[in-house]
Amino acid sequence: MAERITSPFGAKSTAREVVAGHDLSGRVAIVTGAATGIGVETARALALAGAEVIIAARKPDLGEEVANAINEEAGLKRASFGMVDLASLASIRHFAHRWGDRPIDLLINNAGVMASPLMRTADGFEMQFGTNHLGHFLLSVLLAPNLVAGAKASGKRSRLVSLSSIGHRRAGVNFDDPNYEHRDYDKWEAYGQAKTANSLFAVGFDQRFKDQGVNANAVMPGGIMTPLQRHMSIEEQRAMGWLDENDKPREGFKTTEQGAATSVWAAVGSELEGVGGLYLEDCNQAVPWSQERPWNGVMPHALDPESADRLWDLSVKTVGAGA
């Protein structure tokens, strides 16, 4: 194995600490799901470092509010809202069509759904796999020419960041029935499958675009209390050990500013220049998963190149023309 890539930052670092000293003037970043949670902090850190940031989300009121707050803090207009619903292929295609041929430097696939009951996207896909993976897959592939153009225009490599999770340890991708049409639904298994897919997608994307100036890495942001938990009851969060007896997050949970740090490092870190296909956490390349430290590390199935190719083929077939 090549030497593990590390940075001066760690689990407690914040997005602003990671981006300090970077001048992102002239760079264009799209952050999905940046109307809530760690997406807000990711967008804010990039914008305050000079990037133009598009908050790509499905709730205009929240998205506009976040953009306005960032612009007020920056003292000039750097953030704007772009409507996209990742649970609708038509909405994704509309977003990409509206975007046109404008170059992009950073695409941060941050949006996500976790542990939802069995729900289906507009196109009939299981909600977690459909939103977390297939929606981001289509968006990324449609915008891939823009990322390539960004690298050519700036002379710097463009980057794609795919948010995965330690949840990937719960399941690999079930290639025979990814949408739970022929098997019993398990919300955590479905989440695990989607998060494995997010990691494998980074491997597959990097493989296909690294020679055109674009790198992709997967990120585990850490445990953070955000609207991502909207489908979970307080009782369930207690039972999983996430909350203590006073319903406070357990030791090891991060603030949203800390949760955004690894995404921002993946986007700007000089240590990652020209590097892709990795799984990153706590602002470093992840170590292999072990039972001694079950909340950290990456399992082999989430970085397997053959599975990444298989997922790519399945995804192209599933989302259809245009990818």
Side-chain angles (χ1 to χ4, degrees):
M1 178 183 160
E3 195 174 331
R4 180 169 165 252
I5 294 176
T6 60
S7 82
F9 306 105
K12 301 288 184 198
S13 300
T14 65
R16 292 188 198 215
E17 287 166 357
V18 170
V19 86
H22 289 271
D23 180 6
L24 302 181
S25 305
R27 312 279 275 168
V28 176
I30 295 176
V31 186
T32 68
T36 59
I38 63 172
V40 174
E41 295 305 327
T42 304
R44 179 179 281 133
L46 296 174
L48 293 177
E52 180 190 338
V53 181
I54 290 78
I55 291 160
R58 64 191 171 87
K59 293 183 174 168
D61 48 344
L62 281 180
E64 298 280 8
E65 196 180 310
V66 170
N68 291 338
I70 290 172
N71 292 334
E72 201 171 313
E73 195 174 340
L76 66 168
K77 187 170 160 54
R78 289 211 184 123
S80 58
F81 171 75
M83 173 70 200
V84 65
D85 182 354
L86 289 161
S88 160
L89 299 183
S91 173
I92 295 161
R93 288 202 165 91
H94 186 58
F95 178 90
H97 177 73
R98 280 201 324 270
W99 188 264
D101 57 7
R102 216 178 137 212
I104 301 167
D105 302 281
L106 304 168
L107 175 57
I108 307 198
N109 292 337
N110 164 84
V113 182
M114 181 175 77
S116 58
L118 180 57
M119 295 155 65
R120 304 243 169 233
T121 66
D123 305 277
F125 311 132
E126 184 276 312
M127 186 61 77
Q128 299 188 75
F129 187 69
T131 304
N132 298 355
H133 170 62
L134 291 170
H136 279 128
F137 175 86
L138 180 61
L139 180 71
S140 304
V141 172
L142 292 177
L143 295 179
N146 306 78
L147 286 163
V148 172
K152 282 186 181 149
S154 70
K156 298 175 183 170
R157 298 182 74 81
S158 296
R159 298 188 189 187
L160 180 144
V161 181
S162 178
L163 268 75
S164 181
S165 159
I166 189 59
H168 80 269
R169 70 194 166 102
R170 292 176 176 271
V173 176
N174 184 316
F175 290 102
D176 299 320
D177 187 22
N179 290 301
Y180 288 86
E181 289 160 327
H182 312 292
R183 58 183 168 137
D184 290 339
Y185 181 72
D186 177 313
K187 66 182 183 181
W188 285 112
E189 180 188 68
Y191 182 65
Q193 169 179 256
K195 292 290 117 181
T196 291
N198 289 147
S199 182
L200 290 174
F201 172 65
V203 174
F205 194 94
D206 190 74
Q207 201 52 45
R208 284 159 182 78
F209 292 99
K210 62 183 178 184
D211 293 342
Q212 297 177 64
V214 188
N215 286 111
N217 286 296
V219 159
M220 151 63 171
I224 309 111
M225 287 296 165
T226 70
L228 191 63
Q229 282 88 357
R230 65 172 65 86
H231 295 295
M232 297 175 70
S233 67
I234 290 292
E235 290 74 25
E236 191 177 3
Q237 293 182 54
R238 278 189 210 126
M240 293 191 71
W242 294 4
L243 299 174
D244 64 18
E245 62 281 5
N246 302 313
D247 291 339
K248 294 275 183 289
R250 69 166 174 80
E251 183 65 32
F253 266 73
K254 299 182 179 187
T255 64
T256 46
E257 294 87 350
Q258 291 167 338
T262 305
S263 295
V264 172
W265 180 61
V268 306
S270 55
E271 301 87 353
L272 294 165
E273 189 56 32
V275 176
L278 303 181
Y279 178 100
L280 314 171
E281 72 178 345
D282 296 340
C283 301
N284 291 281
Q285 183 180 355
V287 297
W289 183 86
S290 69
Q291 280 180 319
E292 292 72 56
R293 298 185 66 205
W295 295 99
N296 296 92
V298 60
M299 288 190 145
H301 70 249
L303 292 172
D304 178 55
E306 283 179 25
S307 298
D309 282 344
R310 204 173 163 195
L311 178 65
W312 193 279
D313 293 343
L314 171 78
S315 305
V316 170
K317 199 169 149 190
T318 306
V319 302

